[in-house]
Each structure stands twice: as C-alpha cells, then as structure tokens.
Amino acid sequence: MNKKLTIYSDTFIWIKKPKGLIYNSQNGHYLLFQPTSEIESICKYLNNFDNLYSIIFDDETLNSETQKFMQNIEERHLGILTNVEANIVSLPPLLNILNAVEKLKADKSRSESENILKYFSALTVYTGGKCANTNYYKQTFYPCNSNEVLTSETIINFLDNIQSQYLNSINIVFSDILNYSDAQVLIDYLESLQIPTTIYVHYTEIMINNRFLDKLRNNNLTVKIICEIDKDLQNILLFCKNESYHYNFLIKNEEEYNILEEMIENLQIKKYTVIPVFDNNLQFFEEHVFVNESDILATKLSKREIFAHQALNTNFWGALTVLPDGKVYSNLHNESVGTINDSIYDLILNEFHNNYSWRLIRNQKPCCDCIYQWLCPSPSNYEFVIGRMNLCNYYNMQK
Amino acid sequence: MEQAKLTINDVEDALINLKQVTLEVTDVCNLRCKYCGYGDLYFGYDKRQDKYLSFDKVKTLIDWLVYIWKFFKTVSYMPTTTIGFYGGEPLMNIDLIKQTVEYVENLKINRNFLFAMTTNAVLLDKYMDYIAEKKFNTLISLDGNSEGQSYRVNHSGRNSFDTVYRNVKLLQQEHPEYFAEHVNFNAVLHNRNSVESTYSFIKNEFGKTPTMSELNNSNIRSDKIEEFNRTYRNKSESLYQSENYEKLAEDIFIGEPQTENLLLFLHQYSGNTFRDYNDLFIDKNELRYRPTGTCTPFGKKIFLTVNGKIIQCERIDHNFAVGNVENGKVNLDFDYIVNRFNAYLDKLSKQCKVCYRKKSCTQCMYYIPDIDNNKPVCHGFMNKTDFENYKSYCMSHLAKKPYLYKKLMTEILVE
Ligand code: SF4
Ligand code: SF4
Ligand code: SF4
C-alpha cells in the first residue's frame, strides 16, 4: 500500500556512514540508525529540499529493516506516516541568513563591510607585566607575562576610538596590578563607559590590593580572582575572602579538584567557576572534559542553536583580544588581525576575511565525518592547545 | 511577546546610518496622468503650486546630516547613502539635481553616495548623457504599450507613449551598458493594461522585468470613488487572468503576489531565516516587537518636500511631516517625533496585541484611514482563522511549486 512519510519541520537528518541520526530539535527526540543502502536513499530523497521532507513509498516493497526504520520515525515523533493524499507541507531546516557575508558579496549593490560594527561585542585587554610565565592566557583569562605593558592611556585611547554602542562586554586582565601605574584612572574611565566590565586579577596579588579591589564593587564592574590550587590559596582566601569577588578556579587534575571541593565547602564560597586547564594532562581531559555520545544526546538543542553551530563559532563570535604588545587578535592561536592603531572596522573586516575564529565551525576532520558535527559545541581554545579538532573520544563513538 | 516603543536612540541610529535622502525637487510635472497621486482623484498632499526646491534647503539638510555622520560611528565601514530625486518630474529641475550631485560628490566624508531618480522619461533625451555619466539608478514610469500608457498624457491630453518610447530607446542605444545595469521600469496597473501585456511589452522591447504597482487606494476623494473603481486593477487578478499564467508567474518570480507572500511567510515563520549572524543568538519569542509594520522614522529614508517639510517617506500623507527646513535651519525635535509615533502606536497596540499577523505585519500605520481619530481600525487585522487561511494560502502555493522553497531561501537577496 502506498504511504507518505513526512518529517517534521524542526527535525534534522544527518548521515555520516556508518551512522545516521535523525534529531528533532523541538523535543530532543532522536533516532540513531545504520544507513543501509535503501534507508540511505530514502534519507537522501528527504534531504532534497524540493521534496519538502515528504516521500511516498510502497510499504510492501520495502525490506523489513526499512519498514522498522519508518515505524521508528513515527514512534519517536520525528515524522508522521499518512495516506498519500494527506495535505501536509513541511519545511526542512534550511538556514538563511539574509545578511550573510556570502550574500553581501553576491549582491553587487551591497558591500561585505555593511553593518559589521554590530558584530563586535566583547573586548579583552591583557595589560601585560611581570608574572608567572605560562600560556594559560591562551586558554582562559590568565595574566600574560610580558616586557611590554599597555598603559592606561593607550587602553583609554583605543576604547575612545572604538566608540561603539554594540560593545557590551569588556575584560581587563592585569598581570601585575601592583606595579601598574594609573590603575585608578583606567578604572574610573571604565566606570564612565557604562559597559559591563570585568577586572581579572591573579590571587597572588589580592593580599596587597585587597582594599583597592574591594572599592571596585560597582554596578558595571565585576572583579574576578584567578586562582590556582596550591598550598597558599586557602590561606590567602581565608584572609581576603570577599563576597563581591567571583573566583575562577583553574584545575589540572582530579587531586586539585578534590582539594577545591573541600575548600569551597570550608570557606563557603558562593560565586565561582571551575576551569580545566590543559598542561600535559591529556588523560584528565579525556576523562573529564571530552564529550561522549550520551552527553551530546542529552543536551537539547533548538533549531536556532544548531544553525548557530553551522554558521559561526558560539565561543569566539564577536570577541577581540589585545595583547600587551598592542596586537589585536580574534583568536590567540592565530595571526593578529591588526593593532590597536587600526580602525575597528579594519580589525573586524580582517577577521571576516581570514576567519581565524568568529566563523570557525566543525567542518574539519574528524568532525566533518561525524553525525554529531552540528550538535557538538563550537570549537574552543582547548582544541588549539591540545592540537586536535575534536574534544571527544571520536573513535570510540564510531562503533 | 511584549510590545516595544520607539526610542530617541532608534531615530538617532537611523539618521547616523541613513540609507536614502529623497528630495522632491519640484512639484511641476510635464505630464498629467489621470491617476496621479497628486491629481484630482486624491487628497492629502500639499497643493501643487509649480514650485521648485531651492538648493539652499538641500544644502542645509545635507550639511546637518554630514555633521551627524561625522560625529557618530556608523554601523557599516563605508555606508552608502542614495540621494533620490523625486517629483513632480525631477528632470524639470535639472539644475538643482546637478548642483546637489556636485555638492555631494565634493563632501569630504567617509561615505559612498549613489544617485537615483524616478522619471517619466519625457525629457530623457536632453539629459541622458549626464544621467548615464553619474550612473543614476533610474526608474522609468511606463505602463506598457501605447494603449497601456494612455492614461499618462501631456498637458494637452495627448498620450506620451511615442515620446517616452523614443527616448528610452535612444538611451538604450546610446548608453547600452548603463542601461543594462542601472535602468528599471515601473508600471501602474489599471483597466487599460494588464500584468501580461505590460510585462511582455517591456521585456520584449527593453529586456527588463518591470515592477508593477496598483493604484494607491488611500486618500481617494469621495466624489471620485466610482472613477477610481473603474480604473483600478488588482495585480493578482490581472495575473490569474493571463493566458500563460504559469510561464508568466515563473518569469516575474517574486513579482507574483502569492510567491511574494510566500517569501514573507518563509522569512517570518519558518524559523529558518535570520536577519544577520547576531540573530542566531536571540530567541525570537523573547524578543519584543513594535506594533504595526511601520518603519522607524528615517530607517528607510528622509524625505524633503518642495515646501521644505521633512517626512519619513514620500509615500505618506504630508500631514505626517515631523519637521522642516526653514531659514537655513533643520528643525527636527526628536522628542516630538518619538512621542507622536508612540502615540499612534498606542492607539493600535490593543489590536496588534491580539492580531495573529503581528510577527509579519507589513501594515504601515500612516495608511490606516482614521489613524488621527481616537479609535482607528486596522483592516489588516487577522484573527486565528484569518491567519490559518493565510498560512494555508502560502503553503498550498508551495505545495504546488515545491522548488520555490530552496529558490526563495537561497537566491533572494534582501536586506
Ligand atoms: S568533537 Fe567532532 S568528532 Fe567528536 S563528537 Fe563532536 S563532532 Fe564528532
Ligand atoms: S510607507 Fe510607511 S512603512 Fe513604508 S517607508 Fe513609508 S512610512 Fe515607512
Ligand atoms: S495587521 Fe494591523 S492589527 Fe495586525 S499587527 Fe499589523 S497593524 Fe496591528
């Protein structure tokens, strides 16, 4: 008997042999399957937009596996089986960004530099100075050790030139706040901007600067203390604990995590984030940071969130970082997009041309061969420090 | 979905990033089209007094804008602003056009300028070299063949077809590249032409697909309603009546009203269309919406009338002017603009709140007939059933032409 299968509008069909996945982004229901050649050709037909997610088939001619597949689709609320005449029209997911760069390029009357200022929303400045020499600043907010220091005057000039109403977050990471001249001038200026701003200071510096930092409590200034788990930390925090601070705890292994747990409990710390850092501790990452199949499938993503993964990098989008030498980066693991003396438009355009990070998506191996390509979070700094494009136990997943 | 209001910031933003300045360079016209918006079928415009816009006023407005453009950061690197010349017949005031173009070209400012004009082409032979040199985006009003053009008559009542046809052909011959790139046609539909006849005439003669508009059906004088009804022709009807509907519909593509509606529907309701990258971070259901489909004042353009009035566009009643240019000064009170706009919105907000079309509303509030009364009624209002009908109207069109889905989503370039 002829029947019609229609896949629901918010549902995605992905095939990356030897696996296939149908995922309904409205309710998180899914079907993992093995694409036999018959099933594969049905999926291909469905994924052709001109068929509007419907296929008419003769039930009796399908092999039993395919019949089961069709039933599963309906049982898991991924689509609907009807008679042939049923008047259902479904719109397969098809991302259309009206002002996407490619479209602007294709339209002779427009320019790819249109409306770009609104894409730049977050600025991080590393003031530089003397501090511990690690590359952690390439993974998370962490002091950057340098001979050069960006003076408050330089930073203020740069921000003055940006003058964008779309900038809605500023991070200033101090390396050596004790010896930073005119910190107060910079802070006063940042307050006057009325843009949410976070000041990052390493915990080894708070003993001396506690009173200064405490004064920063203010509507649009947040102070975050970067903490590493060592023998001094507990004492320092005991001494300088402050309800208004937020703590970023960097951890490298399980042992540190256990110490941290206990300390948080002891000191009753409320506002904190735990951040794993990569430092030749692949095993720890594999066990605690890498995603596995069940994590991915347990995270419900909307169609919009999946589209976002297809079009841009949700971690890096809109962010620029200035290093102490005045170079500006969209991604610290790549070339700079310019310097603080360039116009903000040029910096943004450079990122658009080079795509170092804002539109960095999972289109490289092995992710491009994986059915979770668009469900997985966008690539992050970890991929760069670890030196591989997937943060998962991919090969285990292919079974 | 909560409602939002217009803010001063919105208006300032629109001016900083202004896309178009439209100048009504004269109210004089060398034709006397029977259905002209400034003719005797309509009310609601300043009386035509054979006036010419002065360069002083233009300069005052542009200088004021330049001040804003220099002072504030624009959202685009090198924004483009089109200076549009509008009439009457703009070529009747070519001196002002030339002065303005020269002035704008010599501004020392980080902005691209383009020039545009809508013309009846009667004087085109005289000025075409200049127009082509400056690469004007030119929209020629032509209602089709001689019969179609027969409402567009000169002052002694003679059909302008021969003159217009000859001039446009001349332009095409003398400046073929310019013609191919920058010239387009608009036809008004009425009872002496049809979508089919107009399309095929302009396509065959000039290789262009014209846009087609219906007669403006607001502000009709009460004693002229009968005449209006006689003359009026609905675009969809005209299209369906054509012999080769399928082929024609394909050729004019989104000029076909049902396809145009489908495009709008797909943009608003498929959940697949996003204005720009940033929108991928926003849950639209949490977004506030501004009632009606009225554009932000100056979001599309600023219009300066021949009398120095400032209006948000040339298509609305001159009573909606929000300021003026007078004695070398631009008088625009942002508070006044915002308050007045919001006061109109307030009158409609109740209806919009329960209207099923609010997410895709295209209703300009200035076109709502009794908007100045206490309780204006929007005739575009849709209840649930209306909306379901609208939806199935769009979807059944798609079911008949499924290939439109990909085509509309990937090939149409809109802002
Ligand atoms: S990181 Fe890449 S390979 Fe691993 S599950 Fe995600 S998409 Fe697949
Ligand atoms: S008709 Fe209304 S919505 Fe359209 S441009 Fe004019 S004011 Fe804006
Ligand atoms: S159609 Fe009319 S009632 Fe409905 S949202 Fe638009 S303006 Fe409001």
Side-chain angles (χ1 to χ4, degrees):
Chain A
M1 196 177 78
N2 274 356
K3 281 189 179 166
K4 179 167 150 181
L5 170 76
T6 307
I7 303 293
Y8 294 132
S9 285
D10 289 335
T11 302
F12 292 79
I13 303 176
W14 292 302
I15 291 196
K16 303 279 173 167
K17 279 188 172 164
K19 280 190 160 189
L21 173 65
I22 303 184
Y23 183 87
N24 185 334
S25 62
Q26 212 165 47
N27 48 27
H29 292 301
Y30 61 88
L31 174 67
L32 273 166
F33 60 93
Q34 290 208 326
T36 60
S37 65
E38 195 169 67
I39 292 179
E40 191 186 359
S41 65
I42 291 174
C43 291
K44 275 198 178 142
Y45 184 89
L46 288 167
N47 269 341
N48 177 348
F49 294 114
D50 291 351
N51 298 319
L52 296 178
Y53 252 5
S54 283
I55 185 167
I56 291 170
F57 61 95
D58 180 354
D59 212 9
E60 280 131 36
T61 62
L62 295 181
N63 66 39
S64 60
E65 215 167 329
T66 312
Q67 284 182 12
K68 184 87 194 90
F69 172 74
M70 297 301 220
Q71 280 158 19
N72 275 340
I73 288 179
E74 186 166 60
E75 277 161 21
R76 302 206 182 180
H77 309 287
L78 306 166
I80 183 168
L81 288 166
T82 57
N83 61 31
V84 180
E85 291 77 37
N87 185 14
I88 308 173
V89 183
S90 181
L91 303 172
L94 167 55
L95 174 59
N96 179 15
I97 301 173
L98 298 175
N99 289 297
V101 208
E102 300 74 28
K103 292 207 170 152
L104 293 179
K105 275 190 198 155
D107 188 341
K108 264 195 261 157
S109 68
R110 317 227 358 231
S111 138
E112 58 179 320
S113 63
E114 249 178 59
N115 295 329
I116 49 169
L117 192 62
K118 69 160 94 151
Y119 293 143
F120 164 54
S121 60
L123 176 70
T124 299
V125 179
Y126 286 91
T127 63
K130 286 291 154 207
C131 62
N133 191 8
T134 74
N135 77 348
Y136 292 173
Y137 71 94
K138 290 190 176 183
Q139 302 181 43
T140 177
F141 299 109
Y142 191 90
C144 172
N145 178 50
S146 68
N147 292 326
E148 298 103 333
V149 174
L150 285 172
T151 64
S152 50
E153 193 188 340
T154 317
I155 299 173
I156 291 171
N157 274 342
F158 181 57
L159 279 162
D160 261 347
N161 287 334
I162 291 175
Q163 201 213 75
S164 162
Q165 55 166 311
Y166 304 96
L167 178 61
N168 57 33
S169 135
I170 299 176
N171 304 298
I172 308 284
V173 188
F174 284 102
S175 294
D176 179 8
I177 195 168
L178 183 62
N179 290 310
Y180 191 82
S181 48
D182 290 338
Q184 189 61 53
V185 177
L186 178 60
I187 300 290
D188 289 345
Y189 173 83
L190 291 168
E191 275 188 355
S192 74
L193 285 182
Q194 307 276 339
I195 297 172
T197 298
T198 306
I199 307 289
Y200 288 88
V201 179
H202 196 253
Y203 74 100
T204 49
E205 293 210 277
I206 53 174
M207 288 283 261
I208 306 153
N209 291 292
N210 200 17
R211 295 201 34 211
F212 171 68
L213 294 172
D214 192 25
K215 274 197 303 193
L216 299 185
R217 245 186 290 178
N218 167 299
N219 285 343
N220 51 354
L221 283 191
T222 306
V223 177
K224 289 196 178 178
I225 311 295
I226 302 159
C227 303
E228 283 161 276
I229 316 297
D230 67 11
K231 56 184 182 347
D232 296 333
L233 179 64
Q234 179 138 343
N235 288 335
I236 293 178
L237 293 191
L238 199 60
F239 196 68
C240 304
K241 206 186 108 191
N242 188 318
E243 293 284 307
S244 70
Y245 296 164
H246 182 109
Y247 298 91
N248 277 8
F249 293 111
L250 313 193
I251 56 160
K252 297 190 287 291
N253 51 49
E254 242 168 281
E255 195 189 332
E256 288 185 349
Y257 185 75
N258 294 336
I259 298 172
L260 175 64
E261 254 192 325
E262 202 183 305
M263 193 170 72
I264 288 172
E265 175 74 29
N266 286 344
L267 299 177
Q268 289 288 303
I269 294 172
K270 300 262 161 20
K271 293 192 283 185
Y272 66 91
T273 312
V274 180
I275 301 168
V277 285
F278 184 75
D279 198 346
N280 288 319
N281 48 350
L282 188 61
Q283 200 189 343
F284 173 68
F285 265 68
E286 280 177 351
E287 282 165 20
H288 299 284
V289 180
F290 283 18
V291 289
N292 54 45
E293 203 158 15
S294 57
D295 299 333
I296 301 172
L297 287 167
T299 323
K300 239 172 79 177
L301 288 186
S302 69
K303 181 162 72 166
R304 176 178 55 79
E305 289 166 319
I306 293 172
F307 280 154
H309 288 163
Q310 294 179 334
L312 51 85
N313 186 304
T314 56
N315 297 312
F316 296 140
W317 178 256
L320 291 177
T321 300
V322 188
L323 286 189
D325 59 2
K327 285 191 178 158
V328 181
Y329 297 81
S330 57
N331 177 333
L332 291 176
H333 307 276
N334 259 313
E335 302 287 303
S336 78
V337 289
T339 75
I340 44 172
N341 299 319
D342 293 316
S343 96
I344 186 65
Y345 298 110
D346 285 331
L347 298 173
I348 301 170
L349 266 182
N350 263 341
E351 166 51 25
F352 265 94
H353 288 152
N354 292 302
N355 191 20
Y356 291 136
S357 79
W358 288 12
R359 291 178 296 132
L360 197 71
I361 55 175
R362 292 209 176 271
N363 56 0
Q364 297 177 32
K365 278 195 181 290
C367 302
C368 58
D369 298 325
C370 171
I371 42 168
Y372 300 116
Q373 184 181 17
W374 307 126
L375 290 181
C376 258
S378 294
S380 67
N381 280 323
Y382 291 135
E383 275 85 340
F384 287 94
V385 256
I386 299 173
R388 53 192 272 185
M389 276 330 279
N390 62 315
L391 285 192
C392 68
N393 300 306
Y394 171 71
Y395 292 98
N396 293 338
M397 284 192 200
Q398 295 311 300
K399 291 168 193 158
Chain B
M1 265 166 90
E2 257 184 76
Q3 292 189 339
K5 295 205 165 201
L6 181 74
T7 64
I8 289 196
N9 199 8
D10 295 333
V11 181
E12 283 171 352
D13 235 32
L15 284 169
I16 296 166
N17 300 301
L18 191 66
K19 296 195 185 80
Q20 182 152 5
V21 181
T22 301
L23 304 168
E24 186 186 33
V25 296
T26 176
D27 62 2
V28 176
C29 187
N30 41 12
L31 291 184
R32 191 148 289 170
C33 305
K34 299 276 197 238
Y35 54 66
C36 174
Y38 297 124
D40 49 6
L41 283 181
Y42 299 95
F43 64 90
Y45 53 86
D46 283 351
K47 200 168 172 320
R48 311 276 90 186
Q49 292 168 320
D50 291 356
K51 281 200 166 178
Y52 293 87
L53 183 62
S54 72
F55 179 65
D56 268 358
K57 285 201 162 74
V58 174
K59 182 176 174 304
T60 305
L61 178 65
I62 289 176
D63 288 348
W64 184 80
L65 288 168
V66 167
Y67 174 79
I68 296 176
W69 293 339
K70 280 194 173 158
F71 202 78
F72 295 97
K73 264 254 153 60
T74 52
V75 65
S76 299
Y77 179 41
M78 184 64 148
T80 298
T81 301
T82 298
I83 311 287
F85 300 99
Y86 187 79
E89 166 52 34
L91 290 178
M92 299 288 282
N93 195 1
I94 187 77
D95 291 345
L96 177 81
I97 294 177
K98 286 186 174 173
Q99 259 176 312
T100 307
V101 169
E102 197 191 332
Y103 189 69
V104 167
E105 281 180 339
N106 287 308
L107 289 172
K108 300 214 168 12
I109 182 168
N110 193 34
R111 225 175 170 92
N112 280 322
F113 289 98
L114 299 176
F115 304 104
M117 123 170 27
T118 306
T119 175
N120 61 28
V122 172
L123 292 171
L124 200 56
D125 53 337
K126 266 174 110 176
Y127 305 120
M128 65 181 181
D129 295 342
Y130 177 76
I131 291 170
E133 182 204 326
K134 297 295 175 190
K135 297 199 168 61
F136 270 69
N137 286 317
T138 302
L139 186 66
I140 294 173
S141 308
L142 175 63
D143 291 355
N145 56 21
S146 179
E147 162 79 3
Q149 180 80 351
S150 61
Y151 281 127
R152 302 184 63 82
V153 295
N154 67 15
H155 290 208
S156 40
R158 245 190 65 203
N159 187 340
S160 60
F161 179 80
D162 291 345
T163 315
V164 171
Y165 179 79
R166 191 192 61 228
N167 285 350
V168 180
K169 272 283 169 209
L170 198 63
L171 177 68
Q172 190 183 19
Q173 277 158 20
E174 298 288 310
H175 301 280
E177 273 170 36
Y178 162 75
F179 189 87
E181 281 263 318
H182 296 280
V183 176
N184 283 299
F185 291 84
N186 182 63
V188 174
L189 282 178
H190 45 67
N191 60 341
R192 292 187 188 165
N193 62 8
S194 66
V195 173
E196 190 169 29
S197 67
T198 312
Y199 170 79
S200 53
F201 179 80
I202 293 175
K203 188 80 187 177
N204 292 341
E205 289 293 335
F206 303 111
K208 301 266 178 177
T209 301
T211 51
M212 288 184 222
S213 39
E214 295 173 358
L215 290 178
N216 178 0
N217 57 7
S218 58
N219 290 1
I220 303 160
R221 280 173 44 180
S222 52
D223 56 329
K224 295 284 180 184
I225 288 183
E226 218 171 287
E227 185 178 340
F228 175 86
N229 285 340
R230 237 187 355 256
T231 320
Y232 178 83
R233 184 174 283 227
N234 172 292
K235 190 168 163 188
S236 313
E237 257 170 51
S238 171
L239 188 63
Y240 299 139
Q241 282 161 6
S242 46
E243 266 171 51
N244 303 304
Y245 165 73
E246 286 300 329
K247 167 92 178 66
L248 186 56
E250 211 150 295
D251 285 347
I252 61 173
F253 189 26
I254 52 169
E256 206 279 338
Q258 222 172 332
T259 305
E260 195 185 348
N261 264 305
L262 175 63
L263 177 70
L264 185 69
F265 184 87
L266 291 176
H267 281 177
Q268 298 298 335
Y269 297 101
S270 65
N272 292 344
T273 306
F274 298 81
R275 202 184 54 233
D276 59 38
Y277 295 100
N278 285 351
D279 278 8
L280 286 165
F281 289 90
I282 303 166
D283 183 348
K284 277 212 177 114
N285 295 320
E286 281 165 23
L287 216 63
R288 300 197 305 158
Y289 75 100
R290 208 165 66 204
T292 82
T294 320
C295 62
T296 299
F298 316 128
K300 286 195 178 144
K301 58 178 70 167
I302 190 168
F303 177 50
L304 178 65
T305 74
V306 77
N307 295 319
K309 285 186 181 175
I310 293 176
I311 314 183
Q312 81 181 74
C313 93
E314 74 283 3
R315 304 218 298 264
I316 60 175
D317 195 307
H318 288 193
N319 289 330
F320 297 121
V322 286
N324 60 30
V325 178
E326 228 172 53
N327 306 326
K329 254 189 79 194
V330 172
N331 302 302
L332 269 187
D333 176 347
F334 288 9
D335 277 315
Y336 169 78
I337 296 174
V338 168
N339 292 338
R340 184 167 156 184
F341 191 95
N342 285 333
Y344 283 132
L345 289 190
D346 284 346
K347 292 187 190 187
L348 293 160
S349 75
K350 258 196 182 156
Q351 278 175 79
C352 297
K353 205 172 256 168
V354 288
C355 176
Y356 274 75
R357 202 179 147 197
K358 60 172 170 269
K359 258 166 97 183
S360 62
C361 177
T362 50
Q363 175 70 53
C364 172
M365 66 184 181
Y366 299 118
Y367 276 78
I368 294 176
D370 39 6
I371 186 76
D372 276 311
N373 299 345
N374 272 340
K375 289 207 167 127
V377 175
C378 172
H379 296 294
F381 177 85
M382 276 189 187
N383 62 23
K384 195 166 180 211
T385 321
D386 298 335
F387 185 74
E388 287 303 324
N389 289 340
Y390 163 65
K391 189 174 161 187
S392 59
Y393 163 82
C394 293
M395 284 300 140
S396 67
H397 185 58
L398 185 59
K400 267 183 253 148
K401 303 176 180 211
Y403 65 89
L404 279 178
Y405 182 51
K406 187 167 156 214
K407 197 166 161 146
L408 289 173
M409 293 292 270
T410 56
E411 288 178 19
I412 299 289
L413 303 170
V414 283
E415 259 182 75

